[in-house]
Amino acid sequence: MMENLVSNWFDGGILPDSYVLPPEKRPGKLIFPVAKMIPVIDFENHDRRSTIHQILEACQDYGLFQVVNHGVPRDLMDETMNVMKKFHEMPTKDKASECSKDPERSCRFYTSSENYTSEKVHYWRDAVIHHCDPLDDYMQFWPENPTAYREVVGQFTIAVRKLASLILDLIGEGLGFNPGHFGGEYSKKPMLLVNHYPPCPDPSLTLGLAKHCDPSVITIILQGDVPGLQVFYDEEWFVVEPLAHAFVVNLGYILQIMSNGKLKGAVHRVVTSSTVARTTASLFIYPSEDSVIEPQTALVNASNPPLYRAFLYKHFSTKYISATADAKTVEQFILKTSTDDHDGHGDVDDNLDLTK
């Protein structure tokens, strides 16, 4: 698989057929409107109620917003982006070697997706992903080269996890949950994904990432200064504008379910460029494998029956991966049906046939 890395196509040429998407999934045009409607929330605003209101409004409308003055040092953000770019600039064999220290594959390097061998069409990206908690257990398996990677990315992960906790506390307060509701099992498994999208021979025919919603509670994204992230809103694609030292925050399926649909998971994708490379860092906040995911009691009553059924996160994760994030398949799995219980707190199905 390593010989198929898209970074090996830096020298131009034509787009390989294996990356050409079906016509209905291609970006087609190369110019898209900028999402000026996406809120940019200033965390130096000391009016907590106003901040919560802005976040909830953004999550209801778009499932996505940006934050500035968020407390993560700007120098650390710059150093993180630099070391991640340096990692992806290394020779292929070195990148693969740096991400193969753990036989359990807690740190791994791949191209397109982790379903590369079975997917019908590939996507224009290379990626490294690794576990982040506890740091002392996992950092030993992170890349040692570039030499600053572990120190810088470790500090960055700690800072962004703190930001994620703050954001989840604000969302929880806005939804009427008890303090600390999203702590513990609902933010137990953070993972850092570093995506790299080299220049592409024909951005109109392929994508860096397909249309999807994340399988996380929330995702915090450092997208640098090169556009590429797009959000789907009102049946149209919009560019999420890169802002200096801002983070993009997007909601995943899990928070959509827990809020009983009050908040929405962001539907997004990544387009490529023919002239510049793009590197991004995304911290995914996942629940523990055995967490029960369901609409929360505070948001369910006779007037607002549960829209989603209860399930274990590990079952959802398996389904999401096997369905390659296909929205229709995932929704069939999570939506409550007439055959489910009607009190909103039914038994979790431990024996689901995930091959269906």
Side-chain angles (χ1 to χ4, degrees):
M1 189 171 73
M2 291 300 108
E3 67 272 12
N4 295 315
L5 290 171
V6 294
S7 51
N8 293 342
W9 295 85
F10 260 130
D11 57 354
I14 62 172
L15 186 71
D17 289 342
S18 58
Y19 289 87
V20 177
L21 291 167
E24 68 277 9
K25 294 185 178 182
R26 298 173 189 170
K29 63 182 182 179
L30 299 179
I31 299 177
F32 294 85
V34 175
K36 294 295 186 182
M37 70 287 190
I38 298 295
V40 179
I41 302 175
D42 188 341
F43 271 27
E44 282 191 348
N45 174 15
H46 298 295
D47 186 336
R48 187 178 180 90
R49 290 184 62 184
S50 173
T51 300
I52 291 172
H53 176 75
Q54 291 178 67
I55 291 174
L56 289 188
E57 197 170 59
C59 294
Q60 289 166 351
D61 293 340
Y62 316 108
L64 182 148
F65 57 95
Q66 299 206 57
V67 293
V68 295
N69 297 319
H70 37 63
V72 180
R74 293 185 173 191
D75 287 350
L76 179 59
M77 297 173 75
D78 292 340
E79 290 170 8
T80 300
M81 184 57 69
N82 288 337
V83 77
M84 290 176 173
K85 287 179 179 178
K86 288 180 180 177
F87 171 84
H88 279 290
E89 289 169 357
M90 295 194 310
T92 297
K93 62 179 180 63
D94 293 342
K95 288 183 283 193
S97 173
E98 288 294 335
C99 298
S100 59
K101 298 180 175 69
D102 182 8
E104 300 297 323
R105 301 187 74 239
S106 63
C107 177
R108 51 197 183 272
F109 180 57
Y110 58 90
T111 191
S112 182
S113 81
E114 296 195 81
N115 294 322
Y116 182 90
T117 55
S118 60
E119 62 192 14
K120 294 179 181 178
V121 181
H122 305 313
Y123 294 96
W124 199 260
R125 71 153 178 174
D126 297 333
V128 58
I129 188 168
H130 50 66
H131 291 275
C132 302
D133 185 60
L135 273 179
D136 288 344
D137 288 355
Y138 289 113
M139 190 183 288
Q140 61 184 309
F141 303 120
W142 292 6
E144 291 180 277
N145 290 300
T147 53
Y149 189 98
R150 291 184 179 179
E151 179 181 355
V152 171
V153 175
Q155 292 178 17
F156 176 79
T157 300
I158 292 170
V160 179
R161 283 198 69 188
K162 183 178 179 181
L163 173 61
S165 295
L166 171 59
I167 292 169
L168 286 173
D169 283 346
L170 294 171
I171 291 174
E173 185 175 332
L175 293 174
F177 297 164
N178 291 328
H181 181 86
F182 286 109
E185 64 174 325
Y186 294 126
S187 56
K188 193 74 174 179
K189 201 180 78 170
M191 293 187 75
L192 187 71
L193 172 66
V194 184
N195 283 323
H196 182 66
Y197 310 93
C200 176
D202 193 340
S204 70
L205 299 178
T206 192
L207 287 167
L209 280 174
K211 177 181 178 181
H212 70 287
C213 178
D214 289 342
S216 58
V217 181
I218 60 171
T219 308
I220 313 289
I221 306 166
L222 174 62
Q223 70 161 339
D225 56 2
V226 179
L229 177 63
Q230 297 187 341
V231 63
F232 194 61
Y233 174 71
D234 199 21
E235 299 303 310
E236 188 173 357
W237 287 105
F238 292 88
V239 176
V240 180
E241 185 177 12
L243 301 176
H245 299 109
F247 284 103
V248 177
V249 181
N250 70 264
L251 272 61
Y253 274 119
I254 303 308
L255 194 44
Q256 176 177 312
I257 294 163
M258 294 176 71
S259 71
N260 201 33
K262 185 177 179 65
L263 310 181
K264 63 183 289 185
V267 178
H268 56 289
R269 70 179 185 183
V270 175
V271 297
T272 61
S273 167
S274 62
T275 57
V276 293
R278 181 172 181 266
T279 301
T280 64
S282 300
L283 186 73
F284 294 83
I285 304 298
Y286 293 120
S288 64
E289 292 291 293
D290 292 321
S291 294
V292 176
I293 308 302
E294 64 181 331
Q296 301 300 282
T297 305
L299 301 176
V300 174
N301 53 45
S303 301
N304 297 285
L307 300 177
Y308 308 97
R309 64 186 186 84
F311 52 84
L312 295 180
Y313 180 74
K314 62 185 177 184
H315 290 166
F316 169 82
S317 178
T318 300
K319 187 63 167 180
Y320 183 93
I321 294 170
S322 66
T324 60
D326 176 70
K328 184 176 180 180
T329 304
V330 173
E331 286 176 7
Q332 287 175 343
F333 176 78
I334 65 178
L335 286 173
K336 197 170 182 66
T337 69
S338 58
T339 58
D340 294 321
D341 65 285
H342 294 279
D343 64 5
H345 304 283
D347 294 335
V348 179
D349 187 349
D350 281 329
N351 300 295
L352 296 170
D353 183 356
L354 296 175
T355 63
K356 292 181 179 177

